[in-house]
Every structure is written in structure tokens, then in C-alpha cells.
């Protein structure tokens, strides 16, 4: 490699590390570099990890995700809206959280507008049930084509230990999803919940009443 190539690698490395350390936007171009980077590059990213606590991802495709997992595994806040992750991306995140013990410090995860569907929700819920994402306190999954089946997957987790905010607005949970949440809340699945957003989910007065009764009992605010 000539000096020009080395300088170029150094420039890209500096850009990515600055983004990681500052919580700035990381795009698919950055992670394409991570995929082909030399050993020194990867070691430098590993050194930056302790300083990476808040990151915004804007990926173009699920294939980018494996290259970023290691770099963001210790984050406390991840905003991955509009990244085209789909259910496959959720399975990648869930697998890393359960088999690699990644995201144990994560407190806030925003995966809105990723078309994750019920399968994607189920992957995250299964990981939580297995003990992953144990410090998650804020989960945002707006506009993800989640139906009552996805709602039931969330509700079937025995205990969302530290969850204080759950935002599933702009999906299609319906009355069945609302009632599943109500049943879970009554069973103690959300012991620390303080806010739930269920707006724009085709929930009628029947579903609202079931959940509203539990929100009063559990002392959490409800948007519907």
C-alpha cells in the first residue's frame, strides 16, 4: 500500500471514530469501510468502543448491520430509525444480545419505521425473555407494521424488568393487542412502566377501556 492509500485510510478512520465518539450519524458508507478495513482499523474501532454511548444509525440495508454490531455493542442509546432493518435485522440484534452478550448497557432503543413486522418484534421479545436487553428502559417501535400477533409477543414476556416507556404508535395492534397489553400489565409484566403510546393502532373504545383500567392501576400514562 502506498502512502496515498494509507492517508486515505487514516482519513476514513478518523471520520468514523469521531462519529462513534460523538454520537453523530453513522451511515452505510462508514460500515462498508468497516467491512473491508485492515486489522489496525478494526483495532482502532475497538479502542473507541468505551467512548461510544449514544449513536444514530442510518443504514441502507440489513447487510450492513453485522459490521456495526461490535462497534455499538456497549452503547446506552441507539437510534436506528429509517434503516431498512426488517425482521432480519431484528434477528441479528437479538442474536448478538443473547449469544454475544451485546447491548447489556443499552437503555434506549428506537427502531421505528423499519418494517420489522411481527417476526421482528418476536425476535426482540424472545431475546428479552432469555435475559437480554436487561437494562432497556425505553423502547420505540413506531410505524413497523406490527399487528396483534406482535403485541401478544411483547405481552408474553414474563417481565420487562426496567421498561419505563413503550411507544408502539402507528401500527395495527387493534383491540386484541391492547387487551394483550392490559392482561400483561395486570400480571406484572411492566413493573416500572410510566408511559405507553398506543395511538393510531385501530384500537376501539373496548380495547382502550381494558388498557386504561390497567394504566390507572399501574400508574402509567397512556396515549391512544
Amino acid at each position: 500500500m502506498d502512502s496515498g492509500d494509507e492517508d486515505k485510510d487514516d482519513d476514513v478512520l478518523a471520520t468514523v471514530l469521531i462519529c462513534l465518539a460523538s454520537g453523530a450519524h453513522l451511515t452505510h458508507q462508514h460500515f462498508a469501510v468497516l467491512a473491508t478495513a485492515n486489522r489496525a482499523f478494526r483495532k482502532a474501532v475497538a479502542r473507541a468502543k468505551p467512548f461510544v454511548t449514544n449513536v444514530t444509525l442510518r443504514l441502507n440495508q440489513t447487510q450492513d448491520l453485522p459490521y456495526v454490531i461490535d462497534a455499538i455493542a456497549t452503547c446506552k442509546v441507539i437510534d436506528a430509525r429509517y434503516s431498512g432493518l426488517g425482521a432480519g435485522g431484528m434477528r441479528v440484534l437479538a442474536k448478538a444480545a443473547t449469544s454475544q452478550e451485546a447491548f447489556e448497557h443499552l437503555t434506549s432503543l428506537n427502531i421505528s419505521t423499519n418494517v420489522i413486522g411481527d417476526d421482528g418484534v418476536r425476535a426482540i421479545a424472545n431475546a428479552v425473555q432469555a435475559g437480554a436487553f436487561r437494562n432497556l428502559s425505553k423502547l420505540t417501535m413506531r410505524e413497523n407494521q406490527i399487528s396483534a400477533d406482535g403485541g401478544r409477543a411483547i405481552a408474553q414476556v414474563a417481565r420487562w424488568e426496567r421498561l419505563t416507556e413503550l411507544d408502539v404508535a402507528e401500527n395495527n395492534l387493534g383491540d386484541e393487542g391492547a387487551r394483550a397489553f392490559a392482561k400483561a400489565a395486570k400480571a406484572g409484566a411492566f413493573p416500572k412502566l410510566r408511559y405507553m403510546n398506543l395511538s393510531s393502532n385501530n384500537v376501539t373504545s373496548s380495547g382502550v377501556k381494558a388498557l386504561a383500567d390497567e394504566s390507572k392501576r399501574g400508574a402509567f400514562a397512556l396515549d391512544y
Side-chain angles (χ1 to χ4, degrees):
M1 179 183 294
D2 61 32
S3 60
D5 290 335
E6 290 179 354
D7 289 341
K8 184 177 180 180
D9 280 353
D10 288 344
D11 288 343
V12 176
L13 172 59
T15 299
V16 174
L17 293 187
I18 289 171
C19 286
L20 286 170
S22 66
H25 281 45
L26 289 172
T27 68
H28 69 286
Q29 287 94 340
H30 291 120
F31 299 121
V33 173
L34 284 176
T36 57
N38 58 33
R39 183 179 301 175
F41 189 107
R42 292 194 295 271
K43 287 176 65 177
V45 170
R47 287 199 301 272
K49 281 174 59 178
F51 305 101
V52 183
T53 60
N54 187 328
V55 66
T56 299
L57 306 178
R58 294 294 182 265
L59 309 181
N60 267 12
Q61 52 191 355
T62 304
Q63 288 92 323
D64 294 330
L65 195 56
Y67 305 124
V68 73
I69 290 293
D70 189 54
I72 66 173
T74 57
C75 279
K76 292 182 178 180
V77 178
I78 296 176
D79 178 350
R81 290 173 288 173
Y82 315 110
S83 289
L85 297 177
M90 295 306 99
R91 285 191 286 269
V92 172
L93 287 177
K95 182 178 179 180
T98 53
S99 63
Q100 301 172 28
E101 297 184 354
F103 310 117
E104 60 181 10
H105 303 294
L106 187 65
T107 60
S108 177
L109 176 62
N110 189 335
I111 46 177
S112 298
T113 321
N114 271 289
V115 199
I116 68 173
D118 296 333
D119 286 343
V121 173
R122 196 171 293 111
I124 295 297
N126 288 344
V128 173
Q129 182 76 355
F133 301 109
R134 60 179 60 91
N135 287 304
L136 191 64
S137 62
K138 183 177 181 180
L139 178 59
T140 307
M141 300 187 291
R142 301 171 68 104
E143 197 179 6
N144 264 311
Q145 299 181 10
I146 302 169
S147 75
D149 285 343
R152 282 189 286 268
I154 295 171
Q156 285 169 1
V157 174
R159 198 169 173 89
W160 293 81
E161 194 65 48
R162 290 182 171 83
L163 195 68
T164 60
E165 295 184 35
L166 176 62
D167 188 345
V168 287
E170 301 176 80
N171 285 291
N172 192 31
L173 293 168
D175 288 343
E176 288 187 44
R179 282 192 286 268
F181 284 157
K183 183 177 180 180
K186 186 175 183 178
F190 307 111
K192 294 188 177 180
L193 193 67
R194 292 295 172 262
Y195 173 72
M196 179 184 290
N197 189 351
L198 204 65
S199 60
S200 300
N201 264 286
N202 297 315
V203 180
T204 70
S205 57
S206 172
V208 169
K209 183 181 185 306
L211 196 50
D213 289 345
E214 290 308 319
S215 75
K216 292 176 183 176
R217 187 178 291 111
F220 62 84
L222 174 66
D223 273 349
Y224 54 87

